[in-house]
Amino acid sequence: MSKFKERLGKQGERLHQLLTDFDFIEAKLDAIGVQALIEDYDLARVSDVLLSEGQTQTLRLIQGAICDSAHVLDEDKTQLAGHLLGRLLDFELPEIQRMLEQAKHLKNSVWLRPLRGNLERPEEGCLRTLFGHTDSVTAVAIAPDGKTAISGSSDQTLKIWDIDSGRELRTLIGHTSSVTAVAIAPDGKTAISGSSDQTLKIWDIDSGRELRTLIGHSDSVTAVVIGPDGKTAISASKYTLRIWDITSGRTVRALTDLTNWVTGVAIAPDGKTVIYGSADTLKIWDISSGRTLRTLTDLTEFDDFGIAMAIAPSSKTVILDSGNRTLEVWHIDSGTKIRTLICHTWEISTVAIALDGKTAVWAEDNALTVWNIHRGTLIQALKGHSGSVNAVAIAPSGKIAISASSDNTLRIWDICSEGQLRTVTCYDYPVGAVAIAPNGKTAISASNSDCLTVWDIDSGKSLRTLDDNTGVVNKVAISPSGEIAVSCSGDRTLTVWQIDTGIALKTLYYQAQVNAVAIAPDGKTAVSALNSGTLKVWDTDSDRVLKTLTGHTGAVTAVAIAPDGKTVISASSDDTLKIWDINTGNELRTLTGHTDSVTAVAIPPDGLIAISASSDGTLKVWDINSEWDINSEIFSRILIGDTDWASEIFSRTLTGHTSGVTSVAIAPNGLIAVSGSSDNTLKVWDLLSGKEVASFSGEYGFECCAIAPDGVTVVAGDRSGRVHFLRLEGVSGGG
């Protein structure tokens, strides 16, 4: 036995060395994929007793980081170094820091290196994120064995997932409209889905084959449940309930004379009664006779009953959303309210109860909260989705929950707790703008709250908060001197700040919301972009409006001033950009080509081109002196001084983002651009070739980005409120 332990110990030590070596991790990922790599760390646990506590913790943290990033690494293995750094930089364990040093130097390509821990730490957020749907995920159910989940989506498909690995096993296609509900039979072999195409479909889970279609509803199916015998299903659709025989697909009984919408339905464990909610009543219905056994009508406190409802497995307790941001626990037999649960900032969209009847999970906008029902106490607050949570299911073990969201993803959560409240780190407001001072040492971010934050770029630490606004801060600009910042706010004001002291020097008032502001190179002129479709040119010393620029037919969303201070370019929700003469106020030309709102515009120091970003998912490169955007061949000729290109103008568009592009910044050398998108990525572009050369995947949509004067430091803000500090590796500096 001692020789066996010695041999096991040597094997464990060797495995530990390999699994903390970045070169090995990268090679293994490339060779066998992310799930097999994760399983290697599970194998190392066999020898946990022979490893030190620090070694065991190191392996657990690295595995956790890889698990958290599995959905990204499945699609793009080159993200490994960036994600390990982003998740593990703050851990001081020697072996982790050694591995991260390897990660910094082993990549030879262009990439964005996190300068501080800017992603969720291992064991902090969800266990796994499931990507695959192309539209909002609307429903989710977990099989009785807890190993498989099925999701339904507005993309008209269902997907079957392996919960442990997060792998998509198969896609079920057949509905002609959004999938709105899904349920799994007790034997785990059959699933039933409901759709806004007014049908239900029965599926064989193992093969993914459609067994039959159930027709009878005359409106969207809103809910479906399966009885404990696996032979009966009940579906809800607006004012009707239908009981189905699953084997034959025949309607056994229909309740079609309801006067209010059915907002929730459940079958009791005995399979004999149905409980459903409608308007301000709760009804208990006998399946065999179709007779209403009991009606709870003493729910007069409810403003909008039925937004969310869940019934405990015992069928004795029901949780109802009162519509006033509280949940109420009711005893069904007695019709009395047991307690009220209060901890909400948003309306509740869905609720689920664990099989033990003690734990409930419900969604408030894009967050989940976990409660002990009996005690009425909050256990956990889980944040991570960037869109509203539409559905949640709890595994039979009561340890795992899966949420479905409008951000097109599902997330797997550990909802176990030892009685201690745990809140996943996440910030309150999206970061809508960021600007870097000319010295490259300081950045200012504007949050969708009412304040700005001043950051030290080297350390990534917050230096101070500028807080004197009464509305949401939209954008911020820093003067050429680096001493003054100007922010625009949703309260129709511009505020001028002294950066070093954080003092608000003055406030300018407008008659429309200000969406953006830019300061000219001389520091004497500023241009503000208004929601009314106009721009204001004003003197920064006297605060006097010099000119009003009119011409856009939609809100002006962004503005940039050319380096010579003579030209202004504005972007608008009318899908166009306009070039203006700042001295005369005349419109010089309109740039058309985007097919959706233009969200951002940037001009490099040479002033020859402009780059625009749009909600249509593209960026466009424009010659400021021409009304066309330009292709890479023409762009190359401009750079080498060949101006004989007028007859060869073609459209030039940068494509690669899979969702709206929110921001763009150009390096001082004019050869590199960085864009941020709601697809959760930052992309680096070689403007000479027009090609994407690097990408960094975050956990939330990026709202803004900026490049420091050194040409390699990137600061970006995302929808969670995080400010990311990254270094562009593999390129030369600003030059």
Side-chain angles (χ1 to χ4, degrees):
M1 182 63 74
S2 60
K3 288 184 178 180
F4 173 76
K5 285 187 176 180
E6 182 180 351
R7 188 164 61 251
L8 185 62
K10 289 180 179 179
Q11 291 175 347
E13 181 63 34
R14 176 58 178 157
L15 188 57
H16 174 267
Q17 290 174 357
L18 290 173
L19 293 175
T20 56
D21 182 88
F22 179 79
D23 195 16
F24 173 83
I25 296 170
E26 186 176 47
K28 197 73 182 281
L29 172 67
D30 189 57
I32 63 175
V34 65
Q35 184 56 32
L37 176 60
I38 291 169
E39 290 169 0
D40 277 356
Y41 289 88
D42 289 329
L43 181 63
R45 292 178 184 172
V46 174
S47 56
D48 268 357
V49 293
L50 303 170
L51 298 176
S52 69
E53 184 179 345
Q55 288 175 320
T56 302
Q57 183 185 14
T58 296
L59 291 178
R60 190 178 70 251
L61 289 171
I62 296 173
Q63 183 188 35
I66 296 171
C67 282
D68 288 345
S69 300
H71 61 289
V72 174
L73 299 176
D74 265 336
E75 298 293 325
D76 184 2
K77 295 174 182 176
T78 66
Q79 297 282 329
L80 177 65
H83 271 244
L84 288 178
L85 285 159
R87 297 190 190 281
L88 297 173
L89 261 176
D90 295 336
F91 293 94
E92 299 298 331
L93 295 171
E95 289 167 311
I96 285 182
Q97 291 302 317
R98 177 182 57 80
M99 182 198 66
L100 296 181
E101 280 301 315
Q102 285 182 288
K104 291 178 185 178
H105 302 297
L106 282 177
K107 286 181 69 72
N108 298 318
S109 58
V110 178
W111 64 297
L112 284 166
R113 173 169 67 86
L115 298 178
R116 65 170 189 158
N118 54 7
L119 300 175
E120 287 178 354
R121 296 182 176 191
E123 304 174 350
E124 180 182 58
C126 68
L127 299 176
R128 194 69 66 92
T129 301
L130 309 182
F131 277 89
H133 285 294
T134 59
D135 206 337
S136 178
V137 188
T138 54
V140 62
I142 301 175
D145 62 6
K147 296 179 180 180
T148 306
I150 301 181
S151 59
S153 169
S154 296
D155 65 11
Q156 303 178 18
T157 71
L158 296 104
K159 289 184 181 292
I160 302 176
W161 308 87
D162 178 80
I163 293 176
D164 288 338
S165 67
R167 282 189 304 116
E168 178 188 324
L169 301 178
R170 60 187 59 87
T171 298
L172 311 182
I173 300 173
H175 284 295
T176 58
S177 190
S178 298
V179 181
T180 53
V182 63
I184 300 176
D187 62 6
K189 297 180 179 180
T190 305
I192 301 181
S193 58
S195 170
S196 55
D197 65 11
Q198 303 178 15
T199 70
L200 296 106
K201 289 184 180 291
I202 303 176
W203 308 87
D204 178 79
I205 294 177
D206 289 337
S207 66
R209 188 166 56 92
E210 179 186 326
L211 301 178
R212 61 183 56 85
T213 298
L214 310 182
I215 299 174
H217 285 295
S218 58
D219 211 309
S220 297
V221 180
T222 56
V224 61
V225 291
I226 300 175
D229 60 3
K231 299 178 180 179
T232 303
I234 298 182
S235 58
S237 171
K238 207 169 182 179
Y239 303 111
T240 66
L241 281 173
R242 283 184 177 271
I243 300 178
W244 305 87
D245 179 277
I246 294 177
T247 304
S248 66
R250 187 171 53 86
T251 298
V252 176
R253 182 167 284 103
L255 188 62
T256 59
D257 58 349
L258 301 176
T259 56
N260 293 299
W261 278 47
V262 179
T263 54
V265 62
I267 299 178
D270 60 11
K272 297 179 179 179
T273 56
V274 175
I275 304 172
Y276 67 92
S278 178
D280 60 354
T281 63
L282 191 72
K283 290 181 180 288
I284 302 173
W285 191 37
D286 181 74
I287 293 178
S288 299
S289 65
R291 190 165 50 89
T292 298
L293 302 177
R294 184 179 178 85
T295 301
L296 304 183
T297 58
D298 190 19
L299 308 175
T300 54
E301 298 176 27
F302 286 57
D303 298 325
D304 190 18
F305 167 77
I307 296 174
M309 162 186 160
I311 298 169
S314 65
S315 296
K316 300 295 183 182
T317 306
V318 62
I319 295 182
L320 306 171
D321 171 23
S322 68
N324 56 12
R325 298 180 181 177
T326 64
L327 280 171
E328 296 185 354
V329 183
W330 289 73
H331 191 279
I332 294 175
D333 288 342
S334 65
T336 58
K337 182 168 65 176
I338 300 171
R339 63 181 54 87
T340 299
L341 308 177
I342 304 173
C343 186
H344 307 300
T345 55
W346 301 93
E347 297 293 346
I348 303 154
S349 58
T350 184
V351 61
I353 301 177
L355 284 180
D356 63 7
K358 298 177 181 178
T359 305
V361 179
W362 60 79
E364 308 169 51
D365 191 52
N366 59 1
L368 296 157
T369 51
V370 185
W371 287 76
N372 182 300
I373 301 173
H374 291 178
R375 298 176 182 173
T377 56
L378 177 64
I379 298 172
Q380 293 190 61
L382 307 174
K383 298 180 181 180
H385 282 296
S386 57
S388 59
V389 179
N390 300 319
V392 63
I394 301 175
S397 66
K399 298 178 180 180
I400 297 295
I402 302 181
S403 54
S405 170
S406 295
D407 63 12
N408 300 1
T409 71
L410 297 106
R411 289 192 178 228
I412 303 174
W413 308 88
D414 176 5
I415 60 171
C416 283
S417 174
E418 297 179 357
Q420 183 177 5
L421 175 64
R422 179 168 67 88
T423 301
V424 173
T425 302
C426 192
Y427 303 89
D428 291 333
Y429 300 98
V431 176
V434 65
I436 299 176
N439 63 11
K441 297 179 179 180
T442 305
I444 300 180
S445 63
S447 163
N448 283 9
S449 58
D450 56 359
C451 65
L452 299 102
T453 303
V454 183
W455 303 87
D456 177 78
I457 291 178
D458 289 336
S459 66
K461 293 182 178 178
S462 170
L463 300 176
R464 66 187 61 88
T465 298
L466 312 182
D467 188 0
D468 194 39
N469 297 288
T470 58
V472 171
V473 181
N474 300 320
K475 291 293 185 291
V476 62
I478 300 176
S479 69
S481 68
E483 298 174 354
I484 300 297
V486 179
S487 65
C488 50
S489 173
D491 60 3
R492 302 184 179 184
T493 65
L494 282 168
T495 303
V496 181
W497 305 87
Q498 188 174 62
I499 296 175
D500 287 343
T501 64
I503 296 174
L505 301 177
K506 51 189 170 183
T507 300
L508 311 180
Y509 295 90
Y510 286 82
Q511 293 182 331
Q513 177 175 307
V514 187
N515 294 326
V517 62
I519 303 174
D522 62 8
K524 297 179 180 179
T525 306
V527 179
S528 50
L530 306 184
N531 214 44
S532 60
T534 64
L535 298 102
K536 299 283 185 182
V537 182
W538 49 282
D539 181 272
T540 56
D541 291 330
S542 65
D543 304 334
R544 185 168 58 90
V545 174
L546 304 176
K547 295 177 182 66
T548 299
L549 313 181
T550 60
H552 281 296
T553 58
V556 184
T557 54
V559 61
I561 302 176
D564 62 8
K566 297 178 180 179
T567 305
V568 174
I569 301 182
S570 57
S572 172
S573 60
D574 64 12
D575 305 352
T576 71
L577 298 101
K578 289 184 181 290
I579 304 177
W580 310 83
D581 183 307
I582 201 169
N583 293 322
T584 65
N586 293 332
E587 178 187 325
L588 301 179
R589 64 186 62 89
T590 298
L591 309 179
T592 60
H594 283 297
T595 58
D596 206 338
S597 297
V598 186
T599 55
V601 60
I603 304 173
D606 61 16
L608 293 176
I609 63 168
I611 300 181
S612 58
S614 171
S615 296
D616 65 14
T618 70
L619 297 105
K620 286 185 178 289
V621 183
W622 308 86
D623 168 42
I624 292 180
N625 298 308
S626 167
E627 60 186 69
W628 300 91
D629 48 336
I630 54 179
N631 70 5
S632 56
E633 179 184 357
I634 295 169
F635 185 56
S636 301
R637 293 185 181 184
I638 293 173
L639 290 178
I640 63 175
D642 180 5
T643 57
D644 186 21
W645 46 268
S647 63
E648 299 181 69
I649 292 178
F650 300 96
S651 175
R652 181 161 177 259
T653 302
L654 309 183
T655 59
H657 284 295
T658 58
S659 190
V661 187
T662 57
S663 53
V664 63
I666 305 175
N669 62 12
L671 301 177
I672 294 290
V674 175
S675 59
S677 168
S678 55
D679 67 6
N680 296 8
T681 67
L682 291 168
K683 291 188 180 295
V684 182
W685 306 89
D686 179 342
L687 294 180
L688 191 61
S689 65
K691 294 181 178 179
E692 175 190 331
V693 294
S695 181
F696 177 78
S697 295
E699 293 160 320
Y700 306 87
F702 285 98
E703 295 286 295
C704 56
C705 62
I707 302 177
D710 64 8
V712 294
T713 301
V714 176
V715 181
D718 71 22
R719 289 181 181 173
S720 77
R722 285 185 176 90
V723 177
H724 298 249
F725 297 87
L726 307 109
R727 181 179 175 84
L728 186 56
E729 301 285 8
V731 300
S732 59

